[in-house]
Amino acid sequence: MDDRRADLPPGTEAGALAGRLKERIYATITMIAVVVGLSSGDAGSLGAVATVLTTALGLWLAAFVADQQAHRTVHRHLATGRELRRMLYVSSPLLSCAVGPALLIALAALEVFPLRTALLAAAWVGVLSLFLWGCLGGLRMGGGALAAVVAGLVDAVIGVAVALVKVAAGH
């Protein structure tokens, strides 16, 4: 079955894009929990940026190892070439989720604003991105503007709820 669609960039599989978006959303929810957790502590700018960067790296490594292990188990060989490039493409948002929070933390380190403000701003940017992805999904499913806004709100609320559960659990 051909997994390409006319409205996607040439050569891009819908499955790879869906997997990439799934990783972006998962990473965003996780990063919201991390920055909210950091905002209630006293890690300092260096500790906060180290936590954000190591969280992103840990998420990416866990996903990559799991993908490689699943591939090896199902296909009886390690992913190489095209398969490996697809894995890296799909999992890369797990690394990029740290960019926004790291930049805000760097601004706090330069005393542009307090660290707590930077961390809470990073959380709100994450919630806004969940809302926007939800809106886009609602629109792409053929819903009107109201349905898109409702989908965005639902995604944002669910994302916040999951992040709060992660914070409460100490993750």
Side-chain angles (χ1 to χ4, degrees):
M1 181 173 164
D2 190 3
D3 198 21
R4 292 173 293 190
R5 291 184 24 188
D7 59 340
L8 298 177
T12 305
E13 299 173 36
L17 288 175
R20 185 175 169 87
L21 180 55
K22 174 193 64 119
E23 297 294 6
R24 159 85 56 208
I25 291 167
Y26 175 73
T28 299
I29 291 169
T30 301
M31 199 54 70
I32 291 168
V34 168
V35 296
V36 167
L38 286 168
S39 74
S40 63
D42 57 353
S45 295
L46 185 59
V49 79
T51 299
V52 163
L53 295 175
T54 56
T55 296
L57 181 62
L59 284 171
W60 177 76
L61 283 171
F64 183 72
V65 167
D67 282 348
Q68 201 49 283
Q69 184 173 359
H71 188 275
R72 183 179 69 229
T73 301
V74 170
H75 299 286
R76 299 180 184 186
H77 63 85
L78 289 173
T80 59
R82 182 175 178 271
E83 298 159 329
L84 181 59
R85 284 190 302 277
R86 184 182 192 281
M87 277 183 197
L88 294 172
Y89 174 76
V90 168
S91 66
S92 65
L94 294 167
L95 291 169
S96 64
C97 73
V99 173
L103 289 174
L104 289 166
I105 293 167
L107 290 173
L110 296 171
E111 299 182 359
V112 173
F113 38 74
L115 178 60
R116 187 168 194 280
T117 301
L119 294 168
L120 292 176
W124 281 113
V125 167
V127 171
L128 177 62
S129 72
L130 293 175
F131 171 77
L132 293 174
W133 282 117
C135 286
L136 180 62
L139 288 173
R140 288 185 63 104
M141 288 176 57
L146 180 60
V149 169
V150 169
L153 288 172
V154 168
D155 283 3
V157 167
I158 290 170
V160 168
V162 171
L164 291 176
V165 167
K166 285 177 166 276
V167 168
H171 294 180

